[in-house]
Amino acid sequence: MALEQNHDAAVCKRVDGGITRVFQLLGKRWTGPIVSVLTEGPAYFVNLRRAIPGISERMLSDRLTELGAAGLVVREVDEGPPLRVSYRLTEAGAALKPALGELKEWAKKYLPDGERGAGC
């Protein structure tokens, strides 16, 4: 009887709504690396693209737009000349830094070494 009650309780468990929203945004391809690069400080579009091997200009632009709409990234235009666009994290975006650091440490410990990121 007790086993049956525990099984019923497990079946009724649901994922937290906050976790669902976080992974709907940050779980998209390239979003985590973009935020991770920006935790080190503001970056110009071209520097973001260079820092994330394999991302296309279009995908980077789309992800930055989504992050901006979510309130995590701010787009700033330097009038120039030349005209340059930079991106920085908002307070909410910067608050992800400790969580990203924990994920990085977890990956070092539990995920096999894969392709290394490009160095500067």
Side-chain angles (χ1 to χ4, degrees), residues 100-110:
L100 291 173
E102 290 293 322
L103 287 171
K104 180 179 173 182
E105 291 304 313
W106 179 87
K108 285 181 186 176
K109 185 173 181 178
Y110 294 107

Side-chain angles (χ1 to χ4, degrees), residues 34 38 42-46 48 57 60-79 83-90:
I34 292 167
L38 290 173
Y44 290 110
F45 185 91
V46 68
L48 279 170
E57 284 186 19
L60 178 56
S61 179
D62 288 350
R63 290 295 180 259
L64 287 167
T65 299
E66 290 171 1
L67 289 166
L72 300 181
V73 170
V74 173
R75 179 181 188 265
E76 297 173 331
V77 178
D78 299 337
E79 294 300 329
L83 180 78
R84 294 181 80 178
V85 178
S86 65
Y87 296 86
R88 66 173 174 80
L89 293 176
T90 62

Side-chain angles (χ1 to χ4, degrees), residues 6 9 13 21 30-31 41 49 51 57 82 101 105 111 119:
N6 287 340
K13 288 183 181 180
R21 290 190 309 277
W30 305 115
T31 303
R49 182 142 185 257
E57 284 186 19
E105 291 304 313
L111 295 179

Side-chain angles (χ1 to χ4, degrees), residues 35-56:
V35 174
S36 179
V37 169
L38 290 173
T39 62
E40 301 306 316
Y44 290 110
F45 185 91
V46 68
N47 294 358
L48 279 170
R49 182 142 185 257
R50 286 182 190 139
I52 306 168
I55 193 169
S56 69

